Amino acid sequence: MDVTDEILGEALKHFDEAGIASPVQEPGAVLVLGLATKPGQDLDEVYFDGSRMRFNGWRTHVKPRIEAVLAAMADRGLEASAAGWWGYPMSLDIEPGTELMHLKGLAVTAGLGRQGRNTLVLHPRFGPWWRLAAIRTEAPLRSTGPGRYDRSEHPACRDCRACIEACPTGCLESYRLPDRRRCRADVPDEPVRGLISWCDCCLAACPIGR
Ligand code: B12
């Protein structure tokens, strides 16, 4: 068992899915982690502290898992850090000039799934009902996937347009969401109570992982 298998084994003690996208940075790799949405594990749970939105679900369910994986990597002498807050990179968190980490592309690169028409990465078992997080490391870990961002059509979506038809605002095009402000899940830069309405219509319509 090499260091890549050991790290993946550690990650899978805490997450439902794990893979490595490499080489996406030189030197090193990105450990891509997936957590399925389950009853009692609502990663979308948010609450408001004044006008600030707090991602309580992510804090409760993802943060301790990320910390456990980081600790296991540190025990092996591997330098690593969570991408963005607790593995969730948002444009709000990244340094000026730094590119936003595209978790969906990384998950595809790591071989964990492929993007569907709803733009989400469809997992063979969970379908769109899983969330992604990432850990950057300089350790030379072995890639678990094709090592490139495959943008070919998802076979399961070829004859299916269920997500496009289910979108209540019509903002979803095949494999693209050209204007995110029209998506009901859009989060304004300065969240204010009442503005957020999570919408899972394009997930609920997907026949994969039901
Ligand atoms: C910004 C953002 C949003 C925006 C914009 C969404 C979007 N589609 O871009 C808004 C607020 C609308 C949003 C909504 C949601 N989001 Co969001 N979001 C993000 C964030 C922060 C960045 C996404 C990004 O980079 N978008 C940029 C665009 C350009 O990327 P793209 O959609 O993949 O576009 C590519 C494809 O179109 C591809 N392409 C073009 N043509 C073709 C053709 C084919 C055949 C193929 C295969 C590909 C392809 O090329 C484009 C460029 O690479 C990520 C976290 C992260 N840092 O990655 C989460 C993330 C993508 N969101 C996620 C989720 C779950 C959601 C919601 C379900 C939330 C909710 N409960 O409502 C909805 C789903 C809406 C939807 N159908 O996308 C998850 C997705 C997990 C998964 N299974 O894939 C992520 C990864 C967050 C996480 N930590 O898990 N989100």
Side-chain angles (χ1 to χ4, degrees):
M1 197 195 263
D2 66 5
V3 66
T4 298
D5 293 326
E6 283 182 28
I7 297 305
L8 287 173
E10 284 294 336
L12 288 169
K13 288 182 191 165
H14 307 283
F15 286 87
D16 296 309
E17 188 57 279
I20 291 158
S22 141
V24 290
Q25 54 178 52
E26 293 289 349
V30 175
L31 177 58
V32 187
L33 304 158
L35 202 58
T37 305
K38 300 178 188 145
Q41 189 170 287
D42 181 2
L43 304 178
D44 284 340
E45 189 194 325
V46 291
Y47 72 95
F48 292 88
D49 177 5
S51 64
R52 281 186 70 87
M53 194 164 82
R54 304 279 183 199
F55 289 74
N56 201 28
W58 204 259
R59 179 201 298 266
T60 308
H61 302 293
V62 181
K63 184 182 180 211
R65 289 178 163 87
I66 290 270
E67 287 170 342
V69 178
L70 288 174
M73 293 179 82
D75 284 348
R76 288 169 176 77
L78 302 178
E79 292 229 352
S81 59
W85 40 273
W86 314 318
Y88 194 138
M90 293 270 278
S91 51
L92 301 173
D93 295 309
I94 58 178
E95 296 293 319
T98 313
E99 204 184 333
L100 171 67
M101 200 179 242
H102 185 220
L103 288 177
K104 291 184 283 187
L106 287 168
V108 174
T109 304
L112 303 183
R114 301 258 301 274
Q115 274 179 280
R117 260 190 222 276
N118 59 11
T119 84
L120 302 170
V121 180
L122 308 183
H123 186 272
R125 260 191 307 142
F126 314 131
W129 298 103
W130 65 314
R131 292 299 183 112
L132 302 167
I135 288 176
R136 299 169 195 264
T137 177
E138 300 225 332
L141 301 180
R142 181 169 29 82
S143 181
T144 53
R148 68 184 173 86
Y149 176 25
D150 179 358
R151 289 205 257 171
S152 53
E153 190 178 34
H154 197 300
C157 302
R158 198 159 293 146
D159 300 316
C160 180
R161 298 181 58 84
C163 55
I164 309 275
E165 282 156 16
C167 178
T169 67
C171 69
L172 192 59
E173 294 178 8
S174 289
Y175 301 97
R176 294 176 63 247
L177 203 155
D179 182 0
R180 63 174 277 183
R181 290 164 306 174
R182 290 180 55 211
C183 173
R184 281 209 189 150
D186 194 16
V187 182
D189 291 339
E190 301 250 342
V192 177
R193 186 188 293 271
L195 270 183
I196 312 295
S197 87
W198 295 120
C199 175
D200 283 335
C201 291
C202 65
L203 289 78
C206 181
I208 307 199
R210 265 202 191 129

